[in-house]
Amino acid sequence: MLIAKAGFTDPLHAPLTHFPIALVIGAFLFFLAAVLFGKKNLEVTARHVSILAFLFVFPTILFGVFDWLHFFKGALLPPIKYKMILASAVIVLLAVGIIMGSELKVRTTPMMVVYALAVVSVVGLGWFGGKLVYGGWSPAPEAVPAAAKAATAPSGTTQAAPAGQRLFAANCSACHPNGGNVIVAELPLKKSRTLASAAAFTAFVRSPKMPNGSESQMPPFPEDQISAKQTGELYTYIQSMLAAWK
Ligand code: HEC
């Protein structure tokens, strides 16, 4: 699966999104057909489909939040903000549509507007989701120079990816794709003075601070999340990538 290859190993949010998106579009199309061909019963179908969509929205959001906490440590990146607004819009629009549809005489125009806006919202959600996964915000599959492989893989073993690379993909690359910085672009990881020594690097990762000492938007990684051995592996990996990230 492409998305897993891009580092999104949580298997649920991405496939789940297809259900509400398809159902919302389906509800819209059924309602459109009902109006175009004057078939009342298709309005009922549209409403049932939108109820299904409503039910699917919640697990989709839940797993989306899990992915967000895992890959972006809950950082409020712009696409995440837009997704939150759009997801709320979808919930409200579907609920309004379902309630409106329960009346015997459905007013066509407002109903059509509600369904159409729901379609726009789910499409927007998919679009920003795509931006997060493919737009440089997310753990991109990174080419590892042979030197990095040699540095971390014990000779004689055939490891898929060196430990440092896996640690980086799982913990850092969401905010630091290609050694950059999606939150504070002026402070890319690859140019950091904290890379001067492993000790300085580890101290920073344990307790990130802005260069002026003020509070950082980067989450701290305590020992129980990334061990001392692992910060060493991360450091080795990052050093090995500096040339490739230039
Ligand atoms: C949620 C987003 C986020 C994650 C995840 C994240 N960082 Fe950062 N990182 C930032 C931000 C924001 C900055 C800039 C602010 C600062 O320097 O404190 C930063 C800065 C840095 C810097 C440069 C510091 C400087 O001032 O020069 C290094 C080095 C760094 N991060 C390493 C890491 C490593 C290693 C990981 C994974 C273990 C990681 N980051 C995970 C957001 C993140």
Side-chain angles (χ1 to χ4, degrees):
M1 193 171 58
L2 241 152
I3 292 170
K5 276 206 202 110
F8 274 63
T9 42
D10 187 311
L12 280 169
H13 176 70
L16 258 181
T17 55
H18 296 107
F19 291 92
I21 292 177
L23 290 167
V24 166
I25 294 174
F28 173 73
L29 291 179
F30 275 121
F31 194 79
L32 194 68
V35 173
L36 288 181
F37 306 115
K39 290 243 195 306
K40 267 276 168 216
N41 57 343
L42 287 182
E43 276 179 18
V44 179
T45 310
R47 180 161 179 268
H48 288 166
V49 172
S50 69
I51 291 174
L52 264 183
F54 188 75
L55 295 178
F56 268 105
V57 162
F58 294 95
T60 307
I61 291 178
L62 185 73
F63 286 106
V65 168
F66 288 163
D67 276 4
W68 173 50
L69 293 177
H70 178 77
F71 291 109
F72 298 104
K73 301 279 181 260
L76 279 174
L77 308 175
I80 295 283
K81 286 188 203 152
Y82 304 142
K83 279 175 80 80
M84 284 179 171
I85 295 168
L86 288 171
S88 314
V90 169
I91 292 177
V92 171
L93 288 165
L94 286 175
V96 167
I98 291 165
I99 294 165
M100 272 168 68
S102 69
E103 288 172 32
L104 288 177
K105 261 174 61 92
V106 178
R107 276 147 306 157
T108 308
T109 316
M111 196 68 191
M112 189 63 103
V113 170
V114 168
Y115 277 127
L117 284 177
V119 169
V120 171
S121 305
V122 287
V123 170
L125 277 165
W127 194 72
F128 285 116
K131 265 194 118 57
L132 282 171
V133 179
Y134 302 110
W137 296 90
S138 75
E142 298 184 58
V144 182
K149 287 214 177 84
T152 26
S155 58
T157 58
T158 43
Q159 268 184 306
Q165 186 199 10
R166 276 181 277 121
L167 285 165
F168 189 80
N171 297 289
C172 321
S173 66
C175 297
H176 298 297
N178 298 315
N181 192 327
V182 297
I183 301 182
V184 182
E186 313 83 78
L187 291 175
L189 185 159
K190 61 186 167 196
K191 298 245 173 73
S192 176
R193 70 215 132 69
T194 69
L195 297 179
S197 73
F201 170 77
T202 304
F204 178 82
V205 170
R206 292 277 183 252
S207 154
K209 289 272 180 304
M210 291 291 278
N212 66 8
S214 66
E215 199 172 321
S216 171
Q217 280 176 274
M218 176 169 146
F221 290 87
E223 179 94 42
D224 60 349
Q225 272 180 37
I226 297 186
S227 69
K229 177 169 170 270
Q230 290 174 321
T231 55
E233 290 165 344
L234 265 174
Y235 184 72
T236 309
Y237 169 70
I238 291 168
Q239 288 292 348
S240 75
M241 291 301 289
L242 288 179
W245 281 338
K246 279 240 167 67

